[in-house]
Amino acid sequence: MAEQVVVAYDRREGIDLPWPAQYLLWAQYPGGARQAGPSRHRLTAVPRLFTLLDGLSRRSLRVIDDTEWLDSPAVYQEAIDNVPKAAFSPDAHRWWNTQAAGRLPRLLSMARADAASAQQQAQRVQAPWR
C-alpha cells in the first residue's frame, strides 16, 4: 500500500477522493504538470494506496510505472513536457488509456537518465579530482 507508483492524471476527469485529500496529494507528492487549454495534466509518484482509493470503476489515477527510485519534480516535469502535444487534445482520451502505458515510462526513463547525467556533471565541476 505504501510503495510508490508513478501515475498520470488528466484533470478533465475527477479523482474519487475528497477535495482536501486531493490538495494534500499534490502538495505532498509534487511532480510535473502541463497546462493544455482548460485542462491540467499531472505526472508524479504517489503511494499505491491513493490509486486504490480512487474509485473502483473510474481509476482516474492511471498507474504507468512502478518505481523504487525517488524522482524529483524536475524529472516528472521533463517527462511530461515531452509528451506529444496531441495527447492533450480533448479527443485524446484514448492516448492516455492505451499509448501512455508504453510511452510515459520511456519518457520517464530518459528524464531520469538526463537528471543523473546532469548530477554527475555538477559533481565533477565541484570536485574535478574525483
Side-chain angles (χ1 to χ4, degrees):
M1 295 276 196
E3 79 268 12
Q4 300 264 310
V5 293
V6 177
V7 296
Y9 167 57
D10 179 347
R11 199 164 162 186
R12 288 174 293 203
E13 300 177 14
I15 301 177
D16 288 337
L17 295 173
W19 169 243
Q22 289 184 46
Y23 177 79
L24 287 174
L25 174 71
W26 302 126
Q28 184 70 30
Y29 302 98
R34 188 162 163 189
Q35 192 75 31
S39 184
R40 188 167 178 83
H41 302 260
R42 291 184 178 268
L43 180 65
T44 194
V46 298
R48 188 179 294 277
L49 174 64
F50 282 103
T51 66
L52 299 176
L53 294 174
D54 176 33
L56 296 175
S57 61
R58 193 155 50 194
R59 294 281 188 230
S60 298
L61 293 174
R62 291 182 185 83
V63 176
I64 59 160
D65 196 15
D66 292 342
T67 184
E68 295 183 11
W69 202 83
L70 294 177
D71 292 306
S72 69
V75 168
Y76 293 114
Q77 190 63 54
E78 184 172 345
I80 201 166
D81 283 347
N82 286 292
V83 171
K85 286 183 183 178
F88 300 104
S89 68
D91 58 347
H93 186 70
R94 197 165 159 260
W95 191 94
W96 291 96
N97 284 338
T98 57
Q99 298 179 37
R103 288 189 193 180
L104 280 174
R106 280 196 300 271
L107 293 173
L108 191 59
S109 178
M110 291 187 315
R112 286 173 181 157
D114 290 346
S117 176
Q119 185 177 20
Q120 287 173 350
Q121 288 177 354
Q123 287 173 347
R124 278 191 220 116
V125 169
Q126 289 177 352
W129 56 86
R130 288 187 183 179

